[in-house]
Amino acid sequence: MPRNQIPPRRWSKRRAAVIGLGAVSLSGCAGVLDPQGPVGANDRTILLDALAIMLAIVLPTIALALAVAWRYRASNSRARYLPEWAFSGRIEAIVWSIPALVVMFLSGVIWIGCHQLDPARPLSPRSLEVQVVSLDWKWLFIYPAQGVASVNQLVIPAGVPVHFQITSASVMNTFFVPQLGSMIYAMHGMVTPLNLQADRPGSYLGESTQFSGDGFSDMNFTVRSVTPAAFATWATATRGAGPALDLPAYLRLEQQSQRVAPFAYRQVQPGLFEAIVRGQTPPGPGPTPEAPSHSGREIALAAGR
């Protein structure tokens, strides 16, 4: 086999890697382009509007580049050769006015969108309160009104606005549900507000997009949107069984672990979220050599059974 010939097996692996990388990239875009709530729908509108505005300069530029290359090709004797030409006011006006208009339109779209989609702006006076804590490498969701909590699974009622209070017990992370919209940071010692809503029942991917260490790749959670009646049933069932989330249980949960299976707490110690934000909880134990998965009761949705 010649040295410059790539073996078929190696080529197939490279091609598979390229295709896989493209599929992963497109899957990330698919969530944003398939919104399931009002915030996500407005995010998609802004994205498409910005794309259309930018195409107004990209497409003519590509067309002109091809037209100039074709007209002034070597075989075209009718093209005028002007070696002394250096300036045209009309061309300068076009070259600078189009980008200026693009910047103005984009600025307007972004300005309006930033105010309409302010993460702290309530979607409704009546919202479900959820307190979110990012840990290494899992997510804790506390429902103060229901008195329960869950790990790596967020259960919300469809059609009901949700007001999140987000913090981090460790390093900085990002809270992002692509189909619901508005990626936002979770920071230690701070509370970041976020308002989202799922319009219909379904299951959606939630993730962290901020690299945070060894277990980052598995720091995902599932968002389960159910009917309001099913959510009330789930909350009642969760209060009837499972462990309680007090300070000792939180310190065990705070221990670094990876690929944690979803489970729930039937009771939450009052003021725990505020203590986490203020740093009043003592440091938990360090990571174990194997980083075992946390054990506990898996969440059972009454609507799905």
Side-chain angles (χ1 to χ4, degrees):
M1 180 181 295
R3 293 183 179 181
N4 60 349
Q5 181 177 349
I6 300 177
R9 187 174 181 181
R10 289 183 56 191
W11 166 245
S12 62
K13 286 184 177 181
R14 293 183 181 181
R15 182 169 53 186
V18 172
I19 294 174
L21 181 60
V24 170
S25 302
L26 291 177
S27 65
C29 297
V32 177
L33 297 178
D34 182 27
Q36 300 297 321
V39 177
N42 282 281
D43 286 342
R44 182 182 64 177
T45 299
I46 292 176
L47 177 63
L48 296 179
D49 288 347
L51 177 63
I53 293 171
M54 289 184 287
L55 286 177
I57 188 173
V58 172
L59 294 181
T61 300
I62 294 175
L64 284 173
L66 296 176
V68 169
W70 174 255
R71 178 169 179 77
Y72 294 98
R73 66 191 186 278
S75 60
N76 186 10
S77 59
R78 294 179 298 175
R80 296 178 62 189
Y81 177 60
L82 303 173
E84 304 299 328
W85 180 86
F87 177 80
S88 171
R90 294 179 180 180
I91 294 178
E92 288 289 333
I94 296 174
V95 167
W96 289 105
S97 62
I98 294 179
L101 290 174
V102 169
V103 171
M104 291 173 60
F105 284 125
L106 283 177
S107 300
V109 169
I110 295 172
W111 177 273
I112 296 173
C114 286
H115 283 80
Q116 290 181 343
L117 300 177
D118 183 0
R121 183 179 181 179
L123 299 177
S124 172
R126 301 181 61 182
S127 302
L128 171 68
E129 294 289 332
V130 179
Q131 298 166 339
V132 183
V133 182
S134 68
L135 301 161
D136 292 338
W137 288 274
K138 48 196 168 284
W139 293 91
L140 170 64
F141 303 101
I142 301 174
Y143 300 78
Q146 289 71 28
V148 298
S150 61
V151 174
N152 277 352
Q153 188 157 220
L154 173 64
V155 184
I156 58 176
V160 177
V162 183
H163 176 242
F164 295 98
Q165 298 183 61
I166 305 171
T167 191
S168 173
S170 180
V171 299
M172 181 183 295
N173 273 293
T174 51
F175 178 87
F176 188 32
V177 183
Q179 290 180 277
L180 300 186
S182 293
M183 178 180 67
I184 202 163
Y185 283 102
M187 294 172 282
H188 181 71
M190 300 180 63
V191 177
T192 307
L194 177 63
N195 292 273
L196 298 176
Q197 177 181 317
D199 287 337
R200 59 189 65 87
S203 182
Y204 314 118
L205 170 68
E207 58 186 341
S208 172
T209 57
Q210 175 75 29
F211 180 74
S212 58
D214 294 339
F216 160 75
S217 59
D218 296 306
M219 195 174 171
N220 303 322
F221 60 93
T222 301
V223 180
R224 294 193 177 275
S225 174
V226 299
T227 63
F231 175 78
T233 302
W234 170 82
T236 302
T238 302
R239 285 194 294 266
L245 182 59
D246 52 14
L247 184 57
Y250 171 75
L251 293 180
R252 291 193 296 271
L253 179 66
E254 192 182 21
Q255 180 178 351
Q256 290 183 348
S257 55
Q258 303 180 32
R259 296 178 294 278
V260 179
F263 65 97
Y265 292 100
R266 62 177 172 82
Q267 183 181 357
V268 180
Q269 178 177 315
L272 179 61
F273 180 77
E274 290 75 12
I276 296 172
V277 174
R278 293 193 294 266
Q280 294 177 344
T281 57
T288 59
E290 299 296 330
S293 296
H294 194 284
S295 60
R297 184 175 69 86
E298 292 190 0
I299 295 179
L301 281 176
R305 293 190 174 185

